[in-house]
Amino acid sequence: MRVLAWPARSNAARNPYQKLLYDAVEAEGSVRVEEFSLRRVLLGPAPEVLHIHWPDAFLAAGAGWRFWPRYAILRLIGLVTRLRGTRMVWTAHNLQREGQRHGDRLDRLFWPWFLARLDGVIYMTRASQERAHEIFPVLRDRPSACIPHGDYLPVIAALDPAPAAQGDPGPHAEGPPEALFFGAISRYKNAFKVLDSFRQLPAGSARLVIRGKMSLREPDEALARGLAELPEAWRPHVTYEDRFLPEPDLVAAIRAADLVVFPYSDVLNSGSAIFALSAGRPLLASDNALFRELRGQVGADWVTLIPDGALTPDLLAETLERARALRRDGRQPDLSSLDWTRIGALTRTFYRSLLPDTSNRSLRS
């Protein structure tokens, strides 16, 4: 079976997810995954599957009139692949994103056409599947599979071979416990709640580190105000760095912390949460469908839920102490349910379920 993936491995430096996925898909030898290009779609041998990840982001990247040629390209791809018998599969990383450029055009022109053209959908969580069926009823009858986001253990092992175990694995392990928030800082991620809760702890009883680029479209103004107004007694215990960290620095930051906090108000998938768990650190996260599902996969010791969005100082302090105990004991989360061998097999099985029997039997050259 031949698969074109958009993207396959071209974005590995920014996001290793696709490379990990397609390495796993290819592992047993019956599937070959190639990088998408318009030339391969239009002129090369017809692939059995075209696997797309972020088509709406492709459209949103075209400012002003540039939306239209990008939209025409997608419609052409959809038409040609249908005529050539190629199955179009979409991994639903995101659904409709608030504040996205060309949002009205996407809702009016893109989503109705694209969802009708799809042959299959892969969801990473039951939560995203249920939400998609609510927002886009047409998807209820579309073939689908729920295949989780895999772990980042191969990436982290390559960056830092020393496991985050054996007790005291990194800086600050004997000082006050440290909470970390990382990633893009947008309003819905509620980083300001971490700071507000932290400020109600006794000064010097813990450390807070916030590392991530402030969103230009939806900045967290409450966080910016809180940092500017931070009392002098707390300033030595709060670190804020307004930039995205390269992966080696991110691994070091996670392993320097005891706990990673994700008080998101609305999220359906989170590679950042899985990255933190892969680096051996527990989560304090919103009580929503995504994190309840992740808690069921890795265990209650590794995902503590924030009830009703109320990140209280007592909850933060208690979770920090439990996280420090996990660190001192050298414990690691069980990520076997996020194993790439299993994910690769599930993905191959889903591809084959969409194809005529005659297309399942051999690897085409």
Side-chain angles (χ1 to χ4, degrees):
M1 185 194 309
R2 181 166 163 262
V3 175
L4 290 186
W6 185 9
R9 299 174 175 90
S10 61
N11 65 332
R14 301 188 312 276
N15 181 355
Y17 166 79
Q18 273 78 21
K19 181 181 186 306
L20 292 169
L21 170 63
Y22 295 120
D23 285 352
V25 167
E26 288 186 329
E28 52 86 58
S30 67
V31 178
R32 184 173 71 249
V33 181
E34 299 175 9
E35 192 72 44
F36 164 86
S37 72
L38 194 58
R39 182 179 181 281
R40 283 178 170 150
V41 169
L42 300 179
L43 302 176
E48 280 80 5
V49 174
L50 171 62
H51 191 167
I52 298 178
H53 289 270
W54 293 287
D56 55 320
F58 171 72
L59 292 176
W65 62 267
R66 294 175 181 83
F67 169 88
W68 297 107
R70 287 172 177 251
Y71 178 61
I73 287 170
L74 281 180
R75 293 296 298 254
L76 177 63
I77 290 168
L79 174 62
V80 170
T81 52
R82 171 151 285 173
L83 291 174
R84 303 184 80 189
T86 297
R87 301 317 196 247
M88 185 182 288
V89 174
W90 173 47
T91 291
H93 296 270
N94 306 97
L95 303 176
Q96 291 167 310
R97 290 184 268 197
E98 186 177 349
Q100 190 174 34
R101 179 190 284 163
H102 306 307
D104 290 343
R105 291 174 180 171
L106 291 172
D107 291 345
R108 182 165 39 92
L109 299 172
F110 168 70
W111 287 115
W113 163 77
F114 178 70
L115 299 177
R117 167 62 188 91
L118 287 174
D119 297 292
V121 184
I122 293 174
Y123 303 100
M124 292 183 174
T125 63
R126 295 294 177 195
S128 62
Q129 185 177 40
E130 291 169 4
R131 180 74 67 83
H133 290 179
E134 290 174 7
I135 297 174
F136 302 125
V138 67
L139 292 179
R140 294 172 186 168
D141 298 324
R142 195 70 70 238
S144 65
C146 189
I147 302 175
H149 190 306
D151 63 58
Y152 285 102
L153 293 175
V155 174
I156 290 171
L159 294 170
D160 183 1
Q166 311 307 321
D168 189 17
H172 313 312
E174 295 305 319
E178 181 176 299
L180 170 68
F181 178 100
F182 72 87
I185 301 175
S186 302
R187 279 196 295 271
Y188 82 92
K189 292 188 175 181
N190 295 327
F192 75 91
K193 291 187 176 182
V194 189
L195 181 62
D196 286 351
S197 179
F198 178 81
R199 284 180 52 178
Q200 298 176 62
L201 299 177
S205 65
R207 288 176 45 81
L208 173 62
V209 176
I210 300 172
R211 300 187 190 275
K213 188 69 178 173
M214 184 71 75
S215 169
L216 297 178
R217 286 182 173 270
E218 295 186 329
D220 187 339
E221 295 97 341
L223 174 65
R225 286 194 303 271
L227 290 166
E229 299 167 359
L230 194 64
E232 192 63 37
W234 274 266
R235 290 187 181 276
H237 312 294
V238 176
T239 299
Y240 171 61
E241 193 170 3
D242 183 15
R243 70 181 180 101
F244 288 119
L245 298 182
E247 284 178 348
D249 294 349
L250 179 57
V251 173
I254 294 170
R255 288 187 168 171
D258 296 277
L259 177 71
V260 180
V261 188
F262 292 117
Y264 300 166
S265 58
D266 184 26
V267 65
L268 297 176
N269 302 291
S270 178
S272 295
I274 293 171
F275 197 96
L277 289 166
S278 300
R281 292 296 177 260
L283 312 180
L284 175 59
S286 300
D287 186 1
N288 60 32
L290 165 65
F291 290 115
R292 287 194 294 271
E293 195 167 325
L294 188 58
R295 177 184 169 104
Q297 291 170 327
V298 303
D301 286 346
W302 295 95
V303 181
T304 299
L305 300 176
I306 304 168
D308 302 320
L311 179 52
T312 65
D314 286 345
L315 177 61
L316 179 59
E318 292 166 5
T319 312
L320 273 168
E321 287 304 318
R322 290 198 302 271
R324 173 56 63 88
L326 289 173
R327 181 176 179 179
R328 284 178 173 156
D329 292 344
R331 293 179 56 191
Q332 294 287 285
D334 178 3
L335 302 180
S336 57
S337 63
L338 310 180
D339 176 71
W340 284 108
T341 300
R342 173 175 174 267
I343 289 167
L346 290 171
T347 305
R348 289 191 300 269
T349 297
F350 182 62
Y351 289 161
R352 291 186 177 112
S353 74
L354 303 176
L355 303 179
D357 289 342
T358 55
S359 297
N360 296 339
R361 293 175 184 164
S362 64
L363 172 65
R364 293 188 181 183
S365 58

